[in-house]
Amino acid sequence: MGKGRRQIDPKKLATPGKGGAGKRQLRHRRGMARRQRFLLSFLVLLFCVLGGRMFWLQVVAANGLTKRALENLSHTEKLPVSRGIIKDRRGKKLVMNISKSAVLLDTAEFSRSEELEAQKKVLYKSAGDYLGLEQGEIDEKIAKGGTQVLATQVERTKALAMKSQGIRGLRLEEMDSRSYPFDSSAAHVLGFTSRDGDGIYGVEKSYDEELTGALGSRLVYTGGQGGSIQSTQGADIHLTLDREIQRVAEEAIATGKEKNKARRVSVLAQDVHTGAILAMATTDLFDPNDPQRPLLPEQQQVWESLSQKEKTERLYQNWRNFTVSDLYEPGSTFKTITAAAALEEHTTDPKKHYYCTGYIRDLQGITITCSSLPNPHGDITMDMGFAKSCNPTFVYMARELGKENFLKYIRGFGFGEPTGIDLPSEGRGIIPKSAEDISDVNLATMSYGHGIAVTPIQMINAISSVVNGGNLMVPYVVSDITTPGGEVIYSRKPQIKRQVISSDTSRTMRELMGMVVTDGTGTLAHIPGYRVGGKSGTADKVSEKGGYEEGKYISSFVSVAPLEDPKIAVLVIVEEPQGDIYGGHVAAPITSTILEAALGAEGIGATEEKTPQRDRRILVPDVENMLLEDAGRVLTEAGLQFTASSTQSKTGIITQQTPGPGVEVPQNTLVELKVDPNNEGATRTPNLMGKTREELSDLLEEAGIPFDITGEGVVIQQSPRGGEPFEDDAVLKLQLGDPEAIQEDGDDNGKANSGNAAGENNQ
């Protein structure tokens, strides 16, 4: 290289011209390059965004967007599917479906009517006449557009009549409606459905999902025809109820209600080993075919004057299942729990002696009495105390058992908690929360079933555990669930909740309950050919305002048979009976009728020979208005026992007897007599028919009753007649004559000879 070689400036090589013009040209080129790079970057970014969005729309969100698009073009109408059938344990249909219609209106089609206003008038009138819809409701549905359901569960004749009006866009869809072929029978068990097909109360509610299956739906497009989605038919429900036992039970409690002029009578029949409910009923049942209809004449008379709120409250009461939801004081039927607990804890035994004075007086604020008064039991063994339902005996037993142990068994037998029965709205009952909450008074009264609140289902379930070997079962009303084709989806297995007492204690309790029927307060529960066990109960009715309602009682009886190996238990509860109030007289005959039918329906044959002596039936003589001495003689001669409220006066007369006159009872039944001492001036005239002159003189002179006797023989007529008031200045006139004349002239003296004319029936 040469020494003075010239250096070339690179910047000058890039400059096309000289001076300021070259510099401007360079800057322009650089700006263009930057803009090109920015535009290219923007286009690449835009392509990525659009590509990503397209990928999101077409792949990721495709399903959701399709659904939203369809929703904009259509709406879905829920229509009831074919609901499952409900059957009894032998397959008899208790609930089925009948065809009805859903009335739909395609509003787009309707709006294209050439004479739209005229069509609207026809629609308004038809919807009002056949569907009960107001004009405003129709306008609201038209405004929504699409295809609207105007009504469901419409009678086919009405739907067809509306269709015949030629209303454009009106369509009918066939659908199933619930039908209860036996009307109100087992209503509280079955429940019913709403107009939309939803289960309300009973099995219809508890098993609504199974009965419904998958909901059917009809997809309706705004601009086109609707497509249908196939519905799944609901499953069939098989109950433990036996239609024949249920029928007999409902007839028996209806008769019992009328006979005893009671407010309500309820019944439960249960398989003691499985817990299955064979019958469940209460009088005054609503009709599931028309559940909104008022019950009873008194409710019907005031119905139109009630507010909607009041009507709703009455309907809820009509639908309420007393046997599962309501509480009551069980009275002496609860003595089975006290006895079982004491036997299990070995604080008593059947032959342990107690002493009944007729009273418990050592409790602060109250005196407990025994129904044996005025003739207290005195020295009595535990087994006879159970048979005769001696209150003091059970107070002593509860004290021996102790508060903690007693509460342990109250809980053990399932009181204070739901039984778990597969029906809605089950009650819990009310029991003490702890042993510390049990006062001495509470301990005493709970021993014979007062001061404790239970549900009927708890009571029968506990009784079943007492006699089945000691196992507390979970009661149930549904045994199987099947497909319409008969395939079993679910089969219920008996479930033991816990063992409460030993099999030995259970065996002893069965014998004690047998004594109640043979020698105690439950002789009217006897069934020829079977050994029956039972327990009676009579309790004051609790007031909703607190305390007890004056003169109102709840009478009950529980029966089990066959006693050697019990299969069935029946509990009957009679609310507010009039006249006779004792459970052994009021409820026991009802349990006998139902239990005998249940034994027959279950194919359980007689377990012992029917003997004339054992099964001898007697018509109770009428001894009202008689002197106690005469009444006792008549009852004894008829083969009956008796107890009287007072024995202190020779002139005392019978004012009431239970069982009443003419009731058919087994031999040796105890007749309870209410006696008016009549010793303050002899205010009521005793029935003296059939007495001799000598008997009259001794009696009337001692009583200070002025009398005038004519004739010879025995009294065949008297004035005043037996039971009539005896005025201070009156003279009792007595006509004596031939004893045969009493029979001939008995009508003149009211009940004069009815006692001597008592009959009997050996089956």
Side-chain angles (χ1 to χ4, degrees), residues 325-346:
S325 303
D326 285 18
L327 309 182
Y328 78 110
E329 287 197 355
S332 291
T333 53
F334 200 77
K335 289 175 180 174
T336 54
I337 306 305
T338 308
L343 288 169
E344 184 70 13
E345 290 296 316
H346 304 291

Side-chain angles (χ1 to χ4, degrees), residues 342 347-349 352-356 378-382 392-394 396-397 400:
T347 58
T348 194
D349 64 74
K352 184 172 182 176
H353 285 262
Y354 296 90
Y355 198 86
C356 170
D379 182 34
I380 189 170
T381 55
M382 180 267 186
T393 295
F394 278 82
Y396 298 139
M397 286 170 55
E400 294 167 346

Side-chain angles (χ1 to χ4, degrees), residues 17 21 85 131 149 301 334 340 412 618 666 761:
I85 305 302
L131 308 181
V149 178
Q301 290 170 4
F334 200 77
I618 298 169
N761 180 8

